[in-house]
Amino acid sequence: MIRVLILSLICVVAQAIHADDVLADLSDSLPQGRMPAPNRVVSGGIDSTHMELLRRAGVEHIVSLRPAEETPGFDEAHAAAQHGLVYHSIPIRGAESLTVDNVRKLDRILHEIGDASALLHCSSGNRVGALIALREAWLYGRPVEHAIAVGREWGLTKLEPTVRELLEN
């Protein structure tokens, strides 16, 4: 019985390591791709050509922070569904959309997703990093510098001054 449990545990660990390797390879294939946490890939804008790649890499969820007007002619929700991916959308139009409500929406989605693999994206990863930094501080009480550092790992760049201002006020 113990032997079976040990073998089962070894299989689970091996599968998890393999899944992270596949996702890390995926992040190299996406625009501005990065893997800031286990089962989480962040990228810039994607299009229909990426959907099969995401599916084959084992991505189960897409969290898009792009408003529909950024991708005219591309119905990302429909394309995701066609490939068996669960689609989530929080349209972040810029600094004005960096609100506690939107941070809570992202937090709820990430909690619903749990350990399942997910791609979070906007045009560059900047808005993803901004929401993650705000989440770290506003929802988890992390200090400003820690939140900013985590946000950078997730793609925060040009919105950093705005995020810093929001966190310091």
Side-chain angles (χ1 to χ4, degrees), residues 54-158:
L54 295 170
R55 187 195 64 72
R56 280 195 323 247
V59 170
E60 299 172 58
H61 297 264
I62 295 175
V63 181
S64 176
L65 302 186
R66 298 180 83 182
E69 60 266 18
E70 281 188 29
T71 56
F74 175 47
D75 184 345
E76 188 174 340
H78 179 73
Q82 284 184 315
H83 287 84
L85 306 172
V86 180
Y87 181 78
H88 311 268
S89 175
I90 307 171
I92 303 296
R93 288 175 172 76
E96 68 276 7
S97 297
L98 299 178
T99 65
V100 172
D101 185 49
N102 283 331
V103 170
R104 285 188 178 127
K105 286 178 187 175
L106 178 63
D107 189 60
R108 273 192 302 275
I109 289 168
L110 292 176
H111 281 290
E112 287 171 15
I113 290 171
D115 290 334
S117 58
L119 168 73
L120 292 82
H121 80 93
C122 54
S123 294
S124 66
N126 183 36
R127 287 173 276 184
V128 174
L131 281 188
I132 292 293
L134 294 170
R135 176 182 181 237
E136 286 290 308
W138 288 346
L139 302 187
Y140 298 113
R142 304 296 196 286
V144 171
E145 292 309 318
H146 173 86
I148 295 290
V150 171
R152 286 182 189 142
E153 290 173 18
W154 287 72
L156 176 63
T157 55
K158 294 177 184 174

Side-chain angles (χ1 to χ4, degrees), residues 1-13:
M1 180 66 166
I2 291 177
R3 207 180 254 176
V4 171
L5 288 173
I6 291 172
L7 286 174
S8 295
L9 181 59
I10 290 170
C11 288
V12 168
V13 170

